[in-house]
């Protein structure tokens, strides 16, 4: 059987599991896979609580297994599938996520947030080909995750557009853990989000809907807010540090509002190699699905004359302190990035619920990082414990902010 080959005919269809199928990355993955029905069979789809959305996807894609990992009306969901004559086996509860992974060849890890860590790690431990969208797994557990993936012989392919771009710009044919001795820097591009040019005073009053209206990408609400605060880029610096095994001092962020250059690799001879394309997640998804070959993604082709201009600037850490906090967490090491991530998830959720203002997100995270000392991050238990403690501290801080505002 030819693994990694997208055009191997019906007998060797690769079985695809999509964790977080109802989300933005999950749906884009289904779109790409559906363009190549001879190459991919949908083995499993998972969602948290969006039962109706998951059932709709089951009716269209007919997976073997579907999982609702959150608390839902199990009986109603099963009845609906049966009424529609759908043969998909529905499983419920977060322990069932491992059943979604088991029979698959390729696992798209597209659950958002810390909830994605355990299932993504189990896919890596099972030695699967893991398409990694859930950046929080590497942020929280980078060294553990990479070590387990290596031990199990899992193939990790980055889906985050920047990391997928870096992967493509690294020496051809080498793995994500390429020899980087000839690489001088990795340059991650950042759009700067919807508030790139907004004054600090105006930032205090922005609403969740304004924060989620990204100029170039349509994404889930959590990552959209992360893009607006630039924490997304901070998480991506941490993700790149572990994925490519490169010191933080060699990872730089450059603002590029058009999101046409998805990232760059600079070599010791002064050459800089970039990956370009229209901002469409189906491009990195198709790249990773077909790797090491190429296949159509459905994305429109780049018209450079129409783009006409590409702009660049240095990031402004005064207006966007979250990027600096992420570098600080990386420098502190151990569980510090897991603490940063947990505090960020709580602060973003509080902002989305209008409990705190946009400019309070960074200070809440900074407060938590100051209160909780980083410890060892060698086991999943240690990391989840740090996540737990940081969440509690962040929730207290959110309440404090609310009381102060009242
Ligand atoms: P989304 O919010 O659109 O979808 C999230 C998916 O995860 C949904 O299917 C949801 O049901 C599931 N989910 C949510 N909470 C869960 C929980 N507690 N347990 C189990 N499942 C849960 O998110 P998205 O924008 O598709 O992002 C997914 C991941 O990919 C994130 O880690 C994000 O950082 C990363 N990513 C996304 C994009 C993008 O363009 N959207 C780009 C790069 C990286
Ligand atoms: Mg990205």
């Amino acid at each position: 059987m030819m693994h990694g080959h997208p055009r191997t005919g019906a007998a060797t269809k690769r079985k695809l599991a999509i964790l977080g199928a109802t989300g933005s990355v999950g749906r884009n993955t289904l779109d790409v896979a559906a363009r190549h029905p001879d190459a991919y069979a949908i083995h499993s789809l998972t969602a948290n609580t969006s039962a109706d959305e998951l059932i709709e996807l089951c009716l269209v894609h007919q997976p073997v297994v579907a999982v609702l990992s959150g608390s839902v009306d199990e009986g109603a969901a099963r009845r609906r599938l049966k009424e529609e004559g759908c043969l998909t086996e529905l499983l419920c509860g977060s322990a069932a996520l491992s059943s979604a992974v088991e029979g698959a060849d390729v696992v798209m890890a597209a659950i958002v947030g810390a909830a994605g860590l355990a299932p993504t790690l189990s896919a890596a431990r099972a030695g699967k080909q893991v398409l990694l969208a859930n950046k929080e797994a590497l942020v929280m557990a980078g060294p553990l995750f990479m070590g387990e993936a290596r031990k199990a012989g899992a193939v990790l392919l980055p889906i985050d557009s920047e990391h997928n771009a870096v992967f493509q710009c690294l020496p051809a044919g080498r793995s994500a853990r390429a020899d980087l001795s000839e690489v001088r820097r990795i340059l991650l591009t950042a759009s700067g989000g919807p508030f790139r040019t907004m004054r600090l005073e105006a930032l205090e009053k922005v609403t969740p809907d304004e924060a989620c209206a990204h100029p170039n990408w349509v994404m889930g609400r959590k990552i959209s807010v992360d893009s607006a605060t630039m924490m997304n880029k901070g998480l991506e610096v941490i993700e790149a540090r572990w994925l490519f095994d490169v010191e933080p001092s060699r990872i730089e962020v450059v603002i590029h509002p058009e999101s046409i250059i998805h990232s760059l690799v600079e070599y010791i001879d002064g050459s800089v190699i970039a990956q370009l394309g229209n901002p469409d997640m189906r491009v990195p998804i198709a790249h990773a699905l077909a790797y090491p070959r190429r296949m159509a993604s459905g994305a429109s082709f780049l018209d450079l004359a129409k783009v006409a201009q590409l702009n660049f600037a240095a990031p402004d850490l005064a207006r966007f302190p979250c990027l600096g906090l992420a570098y600080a967490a990386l420098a502190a090491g151990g569980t510090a990035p897991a603490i940063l991530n947990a505090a960020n998830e709580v602060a973003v959720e509080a902002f989305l619920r209008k409990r705190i203002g946009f400019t309070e997100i960074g200070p809440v995270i900074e407060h938590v990082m100051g209160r909780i000392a980083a410890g060892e991050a060698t086991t999943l238990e240690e990391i989840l414990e740090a996540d737990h403690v940081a969440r509690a501290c962040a929730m207290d801080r959110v309440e404090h902010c609310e009381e102060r505002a009242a």
Side-chain angles (χ1 to χ4, degrees):
M1 192 156 98
M2 295 175 69
H3 276 287
H5 194 304
R7 300 177 192 84
T8 47
T12 53
K13 276 193 199 182
R14 307 192 70 211
K15 293 186 205 148
L16 179 59
I18 306 180
L19 307 179
T22 54
S24 159
V25 172
R27 287 175 186 278
N28 276 308
T29 306
L30 282 167
D31 181 289
V32 175
R35 289 167 196 276
H36 304 276
D38 296 341
Y40 299 98
I42 306 300
H43 175 70
S44 57
L45 300 176
T46 86
N48 189 30
T49 52
S50 343
D52 290 342
E53 287 179 46
L54 187 69
I55 288 168
E56 292 299 328
L57 294 179
C58 288
L59 299 183
V60 176
H61 300 280
Q62 302 286 334
V64 180
V65 179
V67 175
L68 283 164
S69 55
S71 61
V72 290
D73 183 346
E74 207 174 320
R78 270 213 185 90
R79 273 196 300 283
R80 168 102 200 276
L81 278 175
K82 203 171 162 204
E83 276 162 22
E84 303 276 0
C86 180
L87 298 177
T88 300
E89 182 188 2
L90 179 69
L91 303 172
C92 294
S94 56
L97 287 172
S98 57
S99 311
V101 167
E102 256 161 34
D105 302 311
V106 185
V107 178
M108 167 56 85
I111 290 175
V112 62
L117 172 57
T120 307
L121 186 61
S122 54
R125 281 177 172 156
K128 304 288 180 186
Q129 176 161 330
V130 181
L131 276 45
L132 194 65
N134 175 259
K135 63 191 85 188
E136 293 90 348
L138 277 185
V139 169
M140 295 172 72
L144 171 71
F145 188 91
M146 294 306 290
E148 298 283 302
R150 203 165 35 244
K151 246 193 295 179
V155 176
L156 292 183
L157 292 165
I159 293 298
D160 215 339
S161 56
E162 296 77 5
H163 304 72
N164 184 270
V166 169
F167 182 76
Q168 294 195 46
C169 297
L170 284 173
R174 297 203 207 161
S175 71
R177 297 182 71 82
D179 168 16
L180 294 190
S181 62
E182 293 164 2
V183 169
R184 183 164 177 268
R185 283 184 306 170
I186 284 177
L187 296 160
L188 298 179
T189 52
S191 68
F195 310 137
R196 179 174 52 89
T197 57
M198 197 178 268
R199 291 192 341 272
L200 191 55
E201 310 81 76
L203 278 177
E204 285 169 16
K205 295 183 189 66
V206 298
T207 66
D209 284 342
E210 286 167 339
C212 289
H214 195 279
N216 307 332
W217 302 94
V218 181
M219 309 181 287
R221 284 172 80 81
K222 190 261 177 180
I223 183 176
S224 296
V225 176
D226 285 347
S227 295
T229 61
M230 287 201 69
M231 179 56 94
N232 183 50
K233 212 50 53 181
L235 300 179
E236 290 183 356
V237 168
I238 303 175
E239 181 185 9
R241 192 264 172 271
W242 302 120
L243 194 56
F244 303 115
D245 195 19
V246 57
E247 311 86 83
S249 62
R250 290 204 286 162
I251 307 171
E252 279 179 37
V253 172
V254 60
I255 303 287
H256 165 47
E258 293 84 7
S259 300
I260 294 293
I261 296 182
H262 299 302
S263 277
L264 318 88
V265 173
E266 181 183 60
Y267 286 85
I268 50 175
D269 61 1
S271 294
V272 178
I273 302 192
Q275 188 261 352
L276 289 74
N278 284 326
D280 186 327
M281 285 306 289
R282 292 176 299 179
V283 176
I285 291 167
H287 171 265
L289 276 176
Y291 183 80
R293 299 199 53 171
R294 299 271 177 176
M295 66 184 195
S297 68
S300 62
F301 291 98
L302 185 59
D303 182 343
L304 277 175
K306 201 166 148 204
V307 173
Q309 258 197 41
L310 298 177
N311 290 280
F312 304 95
D316 177 352
L317 293 181
R319 280 184 309 130
F320 300 102
C322 289
L323 182 57
L325 292 174
Y327 273 104
L330 202 42
T335 53
I339 293 165
L340 168 97
N341 180 68
N344 180 56
E345 285 188 22
V346 171
V348 169
E349 179 66 21
F351 167 68
L352 285 171
R353 291 177 186 275
K354 301 189 176 174
R355 295 180 61 193
I356 62 172
F358 183 78
T359 49
E360 287 177 298
I361 295 173
V364 166
I365 300 165
E366 190 171 9
H367 172 85
V368 174
M369 288 177 68
R371 289 294 282 272
I372 300 173
E376 296 256 327
T378 46
T379 66
L380 184 58
E381 292 65 39
E382 286 166 346
I383 292 162
L384 294 178
E385 175 62 18
D387 172 272
H388 185 75
V389 173
R391 267 169 215 274
C393 181
M395 284 176 200
D396 281 349
R397 192 62 184 175
V398 165
E399 261 168 43
H400 170 87
C401 292
E402 277 182 317
E403 278 161 20
R404 210 176 38 191

